[in-house]
PDB file of all heavy atoms in Angstrom:
ATOM      1  N   LEU A 153       5.811   8.418  -3.941  1.00  0.00           N
ATOM      2  CA  LEU A 153       6.972   7.911  -4.675  1.00  0.00           C
ATOM      3  C   LEU A 153       8.142   7.689  -3.730  1.00  0.00           C
ATOM      4  O   LEU A 153       8.191   8.255  -2.634  1.00  0.00           O
ATOM      5  CB  LEU A 153       7.367   8.894  -5.774  1.00  0.00           C
ATOM      6  CG  LEU A 153       6.348   9.036  -6.902  1.00  0.00           C
ATOM      7  CD1 LEU A 153       6.587  10.316  -7.675  1.00  0.00           C
ATOM      8  CD2 LEU A 153       6.408   7.820  -7.817  1.00  0.00           C
ATOM      9  N   GLY A 154       9.112   6.914  -4.156  1.00  0.00           N
ATOM     10  CA  GLY A 154      10.299   6.610  -3.373  1.00  0.00           C
ATOM     11  C   GLY A 154      11.337   7.702  -3.468  1.00  0.00           C
ATOM     12  O   GLY A 154      12.415   7.504  -4.044  1.00  0.00           O
ATOM     13  N   ILE A 155      11.025   8.850  -2.903  1.00  0.00           N
ATOM     14  CA  ILE A 155      11.927   9.996  -2.939  1.00  0.00           C
ATOM     15  C   ILE A 155      12.030  10.588  -1.536  1.00  0.00           C
ATOM     16  O   ILE A 155      11.028  10.702  -0.829  1.00  0.00           O
ATOM     17  CB  ILE A 155      11.451  11.054  -3.965  1.00  0.00           C
ATOM     18  CG1 ILE A 155      12.479  12.174  -4.123  1.00  0.00           C
ATOM     19  CG2 ILE A 155      10.059  11.564  -3.643  1.00  0.00           C
ATOM     20  CD1 ILE A 155      12.208  13.091  -5.305  1.00  0.00           C
ATOM     21  N   GLY A 156      13.239  10.932  -1.136  1.00  0.00           N
ATOM     22  CA  GLY A 156      13.465  11.477   0.189  1.00  0.00           C
ATOM     23  C   GLY A 156      13.211  12.966   0.262  1.00  0.00           C
ATOM     24  O   GLY A 156      13.046  13.645  -0.761  1.00  0.00           O
ATOM     25  N   LEU A 157      13.211  13.499   1.493  1.00  0.00           N
ATOM     26  CA  LEU A 157      13.033  14.934   1.705  1.00  0.00           C
ATOM     27  C   LEU A 157      14.092  15.756   0.985  1.00  0.00           C
ATOM     28  O   LEU A 157      13.850  16.890   0.592  1.00  0.00           O
ATOM     29  CB  LEU A 157      13.078  15.257   3.200  1.00  0.00           C
ATOM     30  CG  LEU A 157      11.803  14.964   3.981  1.00  0.00           C
ATOM     31  CD1 LEU A 157      12.033  15.184   5.469  1.00  0.00           C
ATOM     32  CD2 LEU A 157      10.659  15.824   3.490  1.00  0.00           C
ATOM     33  N   ASP A 158      15.269  15.165   0.832  1.00  0.00           N
ATOM     34  CA  ASP A 158      16.376  15.865   0.160  1.00  0.00           C
ATOM     35  C   ASP A 158      16.368  15.634  -1.349  1.00  0.00           C
ATOM     36  O   ASP A 158      17.347  15.923  -2.035  1.00  0.00           O
ATOM     37  CB  ASP A 158      17.715  15.431   0.752  1.00  0.00           C
ATOM     38  CG  ASP A 158      17.964  13.933   0.611  1.00  0.00           C
ATOM     39  OD1 ASP A 158      17.081  13.208   0.078  1.00  0.00           O
ATOM     40  OD2 ASP A 158      19.026  13.468   1.049  1.00  0.00           O
ATOM     41  N   ASP A 159      15.270  15.087  -1.874  1.00  0.00           N
ATOM     42  CA  ASP A 159      15.079  14.805  -3.302  1.00  0.00           C
ATOM     43  C   ASP A 159      15.937  13.661  -3.837  1.00  0.00           C
ATOM     44  O   ASP A 159      16.032  13.477  -5.046  1.00  0.00           O
ATOM     45  CB  ASP A 159      15.279  16.049  -4.170  1.00  0.00           C
ATOM     46  CG  ASP A 159      14.098  17.007  -4.079  1.00  0.00           C
ATOM     47  OD1 ASP A 159      12.980  16.549  -3.742  1.00  0.00           O
ATOM     48  OD2 ASP A 159      14.284  18.208  -4.356  1.00  0.00           O
ATOM     49  N   THR A 160      16.562  12.886  -2.959  1.00  0.00           N
ATOM     50  CA  THR A 160      17.310  11.737  -3.437  1.00  0.00           C
ATOM     51  C   THR A 160      16.353  10.577  -3.702  1.00  0.00           C
ATOM     52  O   THR A 160      15.356  10.391  -2.997  1.00  0.00           O
ATOM     53  CB  THR A 160      18.390  11.282  -2.436  1.00  0.00           C
ATOM     54  OG1 THR A 160      17.761  10.945  -1.206  1.00  0.00           O
ATOM     55  CG2 THR A 160      19.443  12.358  -2.225  1.00  0.00           C
ATOM     56  N   VAL A 161      16.689   9.805  -4.721  1.00  0.00           N
ATOM     57  CA  VAL A 161      15.889   8.641  -5.101  1.00  0.00           C
ATOM     58  C   VAL A 161      16.807   7.426  -5.047  1.00  0.00           C
ATOM     59  O   VAL A 161      17.740   7.321  -5.853  1.00  0.00           O
ATOM     60  CB  VAL A 161      15.303   8.807  -6.521  1.00  0.00           C
ATOM     61  CG1 VAL A 161      14.507   7.571  -6.921  1.00  0.00           C
ATOM     62  CG2 VAL A 161      14.445  10.061  -6.609  1.00  0.00           C
ATOM     63  N   PRO A 162      16.569   6.509  -4.105  1.00  0.00           N
ATOM     64  CA  PRO A 162      17.407   5.307  -4.045  1.00  0.00           C
ATOM     65  C   PRO A 162      17.306   4.519  -5.350  1.00  0.00           C
ATOM     66  O   PRO A 162      16.295   4.575  -6.044  1.00  0.00           O
ATOM     67  CB  PRO A 162      16.821   4.507  -2.888  1.00  0.00           C
ATOM     68  CG  PRO A 162      16.008   5.474  -2.094  1.00  0.00           C
ATOM     69  CD  PRO A 162      15.539   6.507  -3.072  1.00  0.00           C
ATOM     70  N   SER A 163      18.331   3.745  -5.636  1.00  0.00           N
ATOM     71  CA  SER A 163      18.341   3.002  -6.896  1.00  0.00           C
ATOM     72  C   SER A 163      17.632   1.656  -6.824  1.00  0.00           C
ATOM     73  O   SER A 163      17.372   1.055  -7.862  1.00  0.00           O
ATOM     74  CB  SER A 163      19.790   2.791  -7.364  1.00  0.00           C
ATOM     75  OG  SER A 163      20.498   2.051  -6.383  1.00  0.00           O
ATOM     76  N   ASP A 164      17.295   1.188  -5.598  1.00  0.00           N
ATOM     77  CA  ASP A 164      16.674  -0.140  -5.509  1.00  0.00           C
ATOM     78  C   ASP A 164      15.225  -0.055  -5.045  1.00  0.00           C
ATOM     79  O   ASP A 164      14.820   0.879  -4.361  1.00  0.00           O
ATOM     80  CB  ASP A 164      17.485  -1.071  -4.596  1.00  0.00           C
ATOM     81  CG  ASP A 164      17.441  -0.645  -3.148  1.00  0.00           C
ATOM     82  OD1 ASP A 164      18.124   0.334  -2.806  1.00  0.00           O
ATOM     83  OD2 ASP A 164      16.716  -1.281  -2.375  1.00  0.00           O
ATOM     84  N   ILE A 165      14.458  -1.047  -5.418  1.00  0.00           N
ATOM     85  CA  ILE A 165      13.019  -1.085  -5.154  1.00  0.00           C
ATOM     86  C   ILE A 165      12.712  -1.126  -3.653  1.00  0.00           C
ATOM     87  O   ILE A 165      11.781  -0.462  -3.198  1.00  0.00           O
ATOM     88  CB  ILE A 165      12.354  -2.271  -5.901  1.00  0.00           C
ATOM     89  CG1 ILE A 165      10.823  -2.246  -5.735  1.00  0.00           C
ATOM     90  CG2 ILE A 165      12.900  -3.596  -5.424  1.00  0.00           C
ATOM     91  CD1 ILE A 165      10.130  -1.190  -6.506  1.00  0.00           C
ATOM     92  N   THR A 166      13.471  -1.873  -2.880  1.00  0.00           N
ATOM     93  CA  THR A 166      13.185  -1.981  -1.449  1.00  0.00           C
ATOM     94  C   THR A 166      13.294  -0.625  -0.771  1.00  0.00           C
ATOM     95  O   THR A 166      12.403  -0.224  -0.011  1.00  0.00           O
ATOM     96  CB  THR A 166      14.115  -3.006  -0.778  1.00  0.00           C
ATOM     97  OG1 THR A 166      13.876  -4.290  -1.372  1.00  0.00           O
ATOM     98  CG2 THR A 166      13.878  -3.088   0.715  1.00  0.00           C
ATOM     99  N   ALA A 167      14.353   0.098  -1.030  1.00  0.00           N
ATOM    100  CA  ALA A 167      14.546   1.412  -0.414  1.00  0.00           C
ATOM    101  C   ALA A 167      13.469   2.396  -0.874  1.00  0.00           C
ATOM    102  O   ALA A 167      12.964   3.197  -0.083  1.00  0.00           O
ATOM    103  CB  ALA A 167      15.937   1.945  -0.731  1.00  0.00           C
ATOM    104  N   GLN A 168      13.107   2.342  -2.152  1.00  0.00           N
ATOM    105  CA  GLN A 168      12.038   3.226  -2.638  1.00  0.00           C
ATOM    106  C   GLN A 168      10.697   2.870  -1.999  1.00  0.00           C
ATOM    107  O   GLN A 168       9.939   3.750  -1.593  1.00  0.00           O
ATOM    108  CB  GLN A 168      11.935   3.168  -4.163  1.00  0.00           C
ATOM    109  CG  GLN A 168      13.028   3.941  -4.863  1.00  0.00           C
ATOM    110  CD  GLN A 168      12.723   4.170  -6.333  1.00  0.00           C
ATOM    111  OE1 GLN A 168      11.576   4.257  -6.750  1.00  0.00           O
ATOM    112  NE2 GLN A 168      13.782   4.284  -7.140  1.00  0.00           N
ATOM    113  N   ALA A 169      10.393   1.586  -1.899  1.00  0.00           N
ATOM    114  CA  ALA A 169       9.131   1.167  -1.285  1.00  0.00           C
ATOM    115  C   ALA A 169       9.085   1.595   0.179  1.00  0.00           C
ATOM    116  O   ALA A 169       8.038   2.036   0.672  1.00  0.00           O
ATOM    117  CB  ALA A 169       8.943  -0.337  -1.420  1.00  0.00           C
ATOM    118  N   GLU A 170      10.208   1.488   0.884  1.00  0.00           N
ATOM    119  CA  GLU A 170      10.271   1.942   2.280  1.00  0.00           C
ATOM    120  C   GLU A 170       9.913   3.426   2.379  1.00  0.00           C
ATOM    121  O   GLU A 170       9.155   3.829   3.263  1.00  0.00           O
ATOM    122  CB  GLU A 170      11.660   1.703   2.874  1.00  0.00           C
ATOM    123  CG  GLU A 170      11.952   0.279   3.232  1.00  0.00           C
ATOM    124  CD  GLU A 170      11.241  -0.187   4.505  1.00  0.00           C
ATOM    125  OE1 GLU A 170      10.753   0.642   5.290  1.00  0.00           O
ATOM    126  OE2 GLU A 170      11.181  -1.415   4.698  1.00  0.00           O
ATOM    127  N   LEU A 171      10.454   4.237   1.470  1.00  0.00           N
ATOM    128  CA  LEU A 171      10.136   5.666   1.483  1.00  0.00           C
ATOM    129  C   LEU A 171       8.656   5.904   1.206  1.00  0.00           C
ATOM    130  O   LEU A 171       8.031   6.776   1.828  1.00  0.00           O
ATOM    131  CB  LEU A 171      10.998   6.411   0.458  1.00  0.00           C
ATOM    132  CG  LEU A 171      12.457   6.615   0.853  1.00  0.00           C
ATOM    133  CD1 LEU A 171      13.269   7.144  -0.329  1.00  0.00           C
ATOM    134  CD2 LEU A 171      12.564   7.553   2.052  1.00  0.00           C
ATOM    135  N   CYS A 172       8.079   5.135   0.290  1.00  0.00           N
ATOM    136  CA  CYS A 172       6.642   5.254  -0.004  1.00  0.00           C
ATOM    137  C   CYS A 172       5.822   4.992   1.251  1.00  0.00           C
ATOM    138  O   CYS A 172       4.922   5.763   1.602  1.00  0.00           O
ATOM    139  CB  CYS A 172       6.224   4.271  -1.090  1.00  0.00           C
ATOM    140  SG  CYS A 172       6.905   4.576  -2.728  1.00  0.00           S
ATOM    141  N   PHE A 173       6.114   3.872   1.919  1.00  0.00           N
ATOM    142  CA  PHE A 173       5.328   3.497   3.093  1.00  0.00           C
ATOM    143  C   PHE A 173       5.599   4.397   4.289  1.00  0.00           C
ATOM    144  O   PHE A 173       4.706   4.649   5.099  1.00  0.00           O
ATOM    145  CB  PHE A 173       5.525   2.013   3.420  1.00  0.00           C
ATOM    146  CG  PHE A 173       4.693   1.133   2.533  1.00  0.00           C
ATOM    147  CD1 PHE A 173       5.217   0.594   1.370  1.00  0.00           C
ATOM    148  CD2 PHE A 173       3.371   0.854   2.855  1.00  0.00           C
ATOM    149  CE1 PHE A 173       4.446  -0.195   0.545  1.00  0.00           C
ATOM    150  CE2 PHE A 173       2.590   0.061   2.034  1.00  0.00           C
ATOM    151  CZ  PHE A 173       3.120  -0.470   0.868  1.00  0.00           C
ATOM    152  N   LYS A 174       6.806   4.942   4.416  1.00  0.00           N
ATOM    153  CA  LYS A 174       7.080   5.904   5.487  1.00  0.00           C
ATOM    154  C   LYS A 174       6.280   7.191   5.263  1.00  0.00           C
ATOM    155  O   LYS A 174       5.760   7.785   6.207  1.00  0.00           O
ATOM    156  CB  LYS A 174       8.579   6.207   5.565  1.00  0.00           C
ATOM    157  CG  LYS A 174       9.368   5.085   6.209  1.00  0.00           C
ATOM    158  CD  LYS A 174      10.847   5.405   6.242  1.00  0.00           C
ATOM    159  CE  LYS A 174      11.611   4.241   6.861  1.00  0.00           C
ATOM    160  NZ  LYS A 174      13.060   4.454   6.831  1.00  0.00           N
ATOM    161  N   ALA A 175       6.178   7.619   4.012  1.00  0.00           N
ATOM    162  CA  ALA A 175       5.382   8.809   3.691  1.00  0.00           C
ATOM    163  C   ALA A 175       3.914   8.555   4.011  1.00  0.00           C
ATOM    164  O   ALA A 175       3.235   9.406   4.599  1.00  0.00           O
ATOM    165  CB  ALA A 175       5.566   9.186   2.222  1.00  0.00           C
TER     166      ALA A 175
END
Side-chain angles (χ1 to χ4, degrees):
L153 293 161
I155 187 168
L157 281 174
D158 60 358
D159 285 336
T160 59
V161 178
S163 60
D164 68 285
I165 185 73
T166 298
Q168 284 194 29
E170 284 285 344
L171 285 170
C172 293
F173 280 94
K174 284 179 181 176

